[in-house]
Amino acid sequence: MRRETVDGIRVVRIPIYAAANKAFFKRVLNYSSFWLSASMFGPFLTERPDVVVGTSPQFLTAVAALWLARLKRVPFVFEVRDLWPRSIVEVGAMKANSPAIRVLEKIERFLYRSADHIVPVTDSFVGEIAAHGVPVEKMSVITNGVDLDLFRPRPRDEARARLQLPAGTLVTYAGTHGMAHGLDLVLETAKRLANDAVSFLLVGEGAEKARLKERASAEKIGNVIFWDQQPRDRLAHVYAASDLCLVVLRDLPLFRTVIPSKIFEFMGAGRPILSTVDGESRGIIERSGAGVFSPPENRDALVQAIRDLARDPQRLAAMGSRGREFVERNYARPALAGRYLDVLGRVAHALPEPR
């Protein structure tokens, strides 16, 4: 058990079984241990709040939050950042008719019914949640945003030299290396561009990373660099060093409803985006003029898009500038935090004080 203060916020860290995002059963133990620890120690380690927020994924975090909210007799707000368990099924991690998925679906419906308010992070999630019988007026969309002070335009060459990254066109993917992302597409694209002075930097962790590194080594894909997960302040310099930032997901219907949070960081950094994510995310990128869309899981299209963009640095610079202007107007974190506080205030005052 450890207490600390982070940016003026009191944080209580509770004991859990720590596991990397790799082995399935270890992850289940990790999730379960937090649920048990938060449910057991939470009532004694926290004062009575105005509202309790539980975020998903994963569900057991939200279940613990609901338990604490009922014990403290305050409203429970359910924040939905991914559509579990549908996303688990669509990426092929589990079968739709498995007993575990049926249990998760029951937990999903229970949380939707029990929440005093629901905060999805995309507009598309509203329709998905409403299909479970949840009234639309019970939901308020608060999207992800960006820290514009941290993620800001910086000189590319200075960042490139600081990080000792190769010359030429640098294409960066930063995020989870998981089943949902289909990063084999990036390796195949890199092979095709091996003679084009294009390098790829893959930053992050995930269940697929070891296999991807083994494949790159076995196939001698020399223009791909793998870095471990980086601190956010260093990540800002990684973006600055990049000519083009990738947003990649597999071609699944569910992913048309998501907005990868990295797109806002890329825009904040003034870097152009090449995305294979259709739907709501594509709409944001195209409205902003901050990047271009390439069809998902289409290697030939991705190769051609990178070649075209690499030959046009002025176009890349213009997309980066438009992206920065767009997030300044629409996705600055303080403005989104203010909207969230308004929602929490309304929810907190909707219930009478306990006697």
Side-chain angles (χ1 to χ4, degrees):
M1 211 94 64
R2 189 170 83 245
R3 299 172 188 268
E4 59 184 289
T5 300
V6 180
D7 296 332
I9 300 168
R10 188 166 67 93
V11 177
V12 181
R13 301 200 181 274
I14 53 177
I16 62 168
Y17 174 81
N21 185 20
K22 294 178 182 178
F24 174 78
F25 289 106
K26 287 185 177 181
R27 289 167 65 190
V28 171
L29 286 174
N30 171 247
Y31 298 163
S32 302
S33 67
F34 177 84
W35 165 58
L36 288 170
S37 194
S39 300
M40 288 173 58
F41 299 122
F44 308 104
L45 297 174
T46 58
E47 300 173 359
R48 183 178 182 270
D50 296 306
V51 63
V52 175
V53 180
T55 188
S56 172
Q58 41 85 15
F59 276 159
L60 293 181
T61 304
V63 171
L66 175 60
W67 164 248
L68 290 175
R70 295 299 179 256
L71 281 180
K72 304 282 185 177
R73 300 178 67 187
V74 297
F76 165 59
V77 172
F78 184 27
E79 182 183 83
V80 180
R81 296 191 158 273
D82 196 0
L83 293 175
W84 266 38
R86 181 180 165 191
S87 61
I88 301 173
V89 173
E90 291 213 10
V91 300
M94 298 180 74
K95 294 183 178 179
N97 60 353
S98 72
I101 290 297
R102 288 176 183 151
V103 169
L104 288 173
E105 287 173 343
K106 289 180 180 179
I107 295 174
E108 177 188 26
R109 291 191 292 270
F110 171 70
L111 289 169
Y112 290 155
R113 289 196 311 268
S114 302
D116 295 286
H117 204 75
I118 299 173
V119 177
V121 296
T122 77
D123 291 314
S124 300
F125 282 5
V126 172
E128 298 283 341
I129 296 169
H132 291 274
V134 179
V136 173
E137 54 270 20
K138 189 179 175 177
M139 293 180 264
S140 300
V141 176
I142 307 291
T143 65
N144 290 307
V146 61
D147 181 342
L148 291 170
D149 293 324
L150 176 60
F151 296 104
R152 65 181 189 274
R154 306 169 193 258
R156 190 206 70 163
D157 292 344
E158 181 181 312
R160 187 81 62 93
R162 175 177 178 172
L163 298 173
Q164 298 182 324
L165 288 165
T169 301
L170 181 65
V171 181
T172 294
Y173 171 86
T176 304
H177 296 41
M179 296 176 66
H181 303 86
L183 292 177
D184 285 288
L185 173 69
V186 178
L187 298 189
E188 291 159 9
T189 300
K191 287 177 68 175
R192 289 275 299 275
L193 294 169
N195 297 320
D196 288 59
V198 177
S199 299
F200 291 78
L201 175 62
L202 276 64
V203 183
E205 305 296 333
E208 292 285 283
K209 182 171 181 177
R211 184 190 63 79
L212 290 165
K213 291 179 72 173
E214 288 173 4
R215 178 181 176 186
S217 176
E219 298 181 19
K220 296 181 172 53
I221 308 175
N223 57 335
V224 176
I225 304 163
F226 289 92
W227 278 8
D228 294 339
Q229 186 171 327
Q230 301 292 308
R232 286 172 63 77
D233 56 347
R234 183 174 170 85
L235 200 56
H237 292 280
V238 170
Y239 297 163
S242 307
D243 295 292
L244 188 61
C245 293
L246 277 180
V247 181
V248 181
L249 285 172
R250 287 170 54 195
D251 188 13
L252 299 172
L254 175 66
F255 293 149
R256 298 186 186 111
T257 70
V258 306
I259 306 175
S261 60
K262 284 290 185 288
I263 69 171
F264 302 120
E265 294 180 0
F266 297 156
M267 289 184 190
R271 285 298 177 261
I273 300 168
L274 176 56
S275 174
T276 70
V277 185
D278 208 345
E280 192 165 347
S281 173
R282 176 184 179 180
I284 291 172
I285 292 171
E286 291 183 343
R287 284 199 309 276
S288 68
V292 297
F293 170 77
S294 181
E297 299 189 44
N298 187 324
R299 181 191 59 191
D300 292 341
L302 190 61
V303 167
Q304 191 59 51
I306 293 172
R307 279 181 172 150
D308 291 343
L309 291 168
R311 295 187 190 115
D312 196 346
Q314 289 185 331
R315 184 183 178 194
L316 292 175
M319 289 193 295
S321 297
R322 288 194 294 264
R324 175 70 188 190
E325 293 169 4
F326 184 77
V327 289
E328 286 178 344
R329 292 194 308 269
N330 299 287
Y331 292 98
R333 191 166 284 173
L336 293 169
R339 286 175 49 199
Y340 209 147
L341 285 172
D342 288 342
V343 170
L344 296 178
R346 291 198 305 271
V347 175
H349 294 104
L351 293 185
E353 288 291 320
R355 296 179 181 177

